[in-house]
Each structure stands twice: as C-alpha cells, then as structure tokens.
Amino acid sequence: MSFIGQLPRFAVVAALALTTPALTSIVHAEGAQPVAQGSEAAAADAAKKGVAATTIDRVKQAAQTATDILSRVPCRTPKGGTKAMGTLPHVAGKLAAHKPVVIVAFGSSSTQGHGSTAPEFTYPNRLAAQLRRAYPGADITVLNRGKGGEDAPEMMARLQAEVINSKPDLVIWQLGTNAVLRNLDPGETGKMIEDGVGRIQAGGSDVVLVDPQYSPATVEKPESTSKMLALMHKVAELRKVGYFPRFEVMKEWHEGQQMAFSSFVIADGLHMNDWGYACFAQLLGDNIIKSVGTIKMGTNEPAQQQAQRPL
C-alpha cells in the first residue's frame, strides 16, 4: 500500500491541499516534453522519480503538520454553549436557492492570520473548509480582508472598497482588541462600529461581530476590555446582528478547561496559534451552520453539529 493510502483521511486532505501546486507543476512538466528514447528516457524516468520523491516528502510533512494540530486537546463548545446568531437570512436564502455565497472576514491581524504557520491554517480558510463540508453542493467563498494593526478607524476607511463592494452575503467583523491596546475612546469606537454595521446591512449583508480575544495582552487591561465587550454587545443588540463571543470562548479554554495560554496563544501573548485559530473557526462555523438551519444541498445538513476537535 502507498504512503498516502496509509494516512488518516484528514491528513491526506490537508497534505494534498498543501501539495497541489507541486502536483500541478509535475503535470505541466510532463505535458511540455515529448517521450524520450533510450538514455533520454532513463534520465526522464530518474527525474520523474526525483520529483515524485520530493512530492511524497511534502505529503509526509503536510500530514505530520495536520496530525500535530489535531493531536492536541479537543475543541469543545464552552459550557452553556454560545449565543445564537439569529437566522442569517441572506446566507440561508442563497444556499436554499443554490446560488453562490460570498463571506467576507473583515478585521485585523487575527483575521489576517498572524501566528498561523501557513495560509490554510488561518481562521477564514478553516471556516471555508468547514462550510464546504457542511454544504457540499454549495459554491462558498470566504474572502480574507484582515489587516494587522487596525481597528475601527482604519477599517472604516476601507469598508466600502474592500467589503461592501464585494457584495457579500455575510460579513464577519472582528475588532476591538487593538482599540483596547491603543486606548482608543470607547464612545467614538462604538459610534464607528454602529455606523459600519448599518452600512454593511444597507448593502444587503448579514453581519456577525467578533469581540476581542482573551489573552495575556488583554487581561492586563481589564477595565478597557470590559468596556469594549459591553459596547460591542450593545451594538449587536441595537442593530440586531449576530455576535460571536470570542473573549468568553478563549477565557473558557484558559479558566474552564485549564489550558495554558501557550496552548492557544503564540509567544507575543496576543495572537492565536494554529490550534487556537482552528478551534475558533470550528466553533464559529458550528454557530453559522446552526443559525442558517437545515438546508438541503444534495445532502442534508447533520441534525447536530459536534465540535470535538478542529478538522
């Protein structure tokens, strides 16, 4: 049996995703040259074997990376669950009509993926993979519009061009952490968030707000963090939009599940690592799926979403 045949299914999927460019280049190389004769054929065979060996090594490395992430502690739903996001009518309508769904992940460095070891391990890419598994007949695109160091003032400046003009069905807006770290005025930040949510809704999109992360950097500023959390909750209630309590989820990892910060946060004390992004994406995806409801897309959505560990 080949090496790939002996791998767990999830490892093979991750491995192939990482090695697709290499495999594509092999196909192109083979198609560009005529079949050689004699010694040239032997040389070509040797070259092919060398490329194949390199590809297998990449598969092994990718599979090991996936295994390392998945072998950590399970990704469990916080005690008491997370607050329902509402119905997400635009997403549900597109799925029901078998039309393409566009999701924009809007935010700062934790949306961009700072701290992840590869692009496929960022939360937007993890989320896209989960939603495509849940709705295999759907055309789902998740656009990453994260930019490190930003908060509401900078995000508002690019809201139209990078978010609204994409005509998304759902905008997942992550913000607040940099506002806390930069000591931005909470009242002004709240006004910008409410204005931004209103503009997104007017463009015909569902909205989910994602609050600051729970990490050593934010724990050091409890008063500012508490104000930001209250402010974002208030905006979500006023504008009737979805809300994902990332702060409470990460706090549960640390205090409820007794996980060290180093288990889900990198050495800078702020950004999540691969496991943290994977679990965050898994729980966020579970909530989106529950909010959308059961929709037939060739196969039925599972009746109960189980978030045992990031996939």
Side-chain angles (χ1 to χ4, degrees), residues 109 177-178 181 213 215-218 250 265-272:
S109 54
T177 300
N178 287 322
L181 300 181
Q213 59 258 55
S215 64
T218 54
M250 296 177 71
V265 175
I266 63 174
D268 69 0
L270 178 61
H271 298 94
M272 285 185 277

Side-chain angles (χ1 to χ4, degrees), residues 88-261:
L88 301 181
H90 294 91
V91 176
K94 287 292 187 70
L95 288 171
H98 297 263
K99 294 181 178 180
V101 174
V102 176
I103 298 172
V104 169
F106 189 39
S108 57
S109 54
S110 60
T111 296
Q112 187 177 22
H114 187 80
S116 62
T117 59
E120 54 269 30
F121 297 150
T122 64
Y123 107 73
N125 284 339
R126 289 277 194 180
L127 177 63
Q130 180 184 0
L131 294 179
R132 288 165 188 157
R133 287 193 299 270
Y135 306 106
D139 178 2
I140 299 174
T141 300
V142 179
L143 303 175
N144 190 329
R145 295 292 185 263
K147 191 171 182 180
E150 292 192 346
D151 214 274
E154 297 83 7
M155 293 181 199
M156 288 297 289
R158 61 189 181 94
L159 178 64
Q160 185 69 43
E162 298 193 22
V163 178
I164 296 175
N165 287 354
S166 298
K167 299 186 183 304
D169 302 293
L170 169 63
V171 176
I172 303 169
W173 193 2
Q174 162 268 311
L175 77 168
T177 300
N178 287 322
V180 170
L181 300 181
R182 290 160 51 185
N183 297 311
L184 298 184
D185 180 75
E188 289 300 314
T189 299
K191 291 178 183 177
M192 285 185 276
I193 296 173
E194 185 175 359
D195 178 49
V197 170
R199 289 172 58 188
I200 294 169
Q201 289 178 311
S205 304
D206 298 325
V207 182
V208 171
L209 290 176
V210 177
D211 62 20
Q213 59 258 55
Y214 176 86
S215 64
T218 54
V219 169
E220 290 177 358
K221 295 194 171 187
E223 184 176 351
S224 296
T225 301
S226 179
K227 288 182 179 179
M228 182 56 62
L229 294 172
L231 181 154
M232 292 185 66
H233 273 286
K234 182 178 179 180
V235 172
E237 290 177 359
L238 287 173
R239 300 301 309 189
K240 307 299 181 185
V241 298
Y243 192 93
F244 185 84
R246 180 173 56 160
F247 185 89
E248 290 301 324
V249 166
M250 296 177 71
K251 185 177 181 180
E252 168 69 15
W253 294 346
H254 184 61
E255 297 185 2
Q257 300 180 35
Q258 300 297 303
M259 293 174 63
F261 276 121

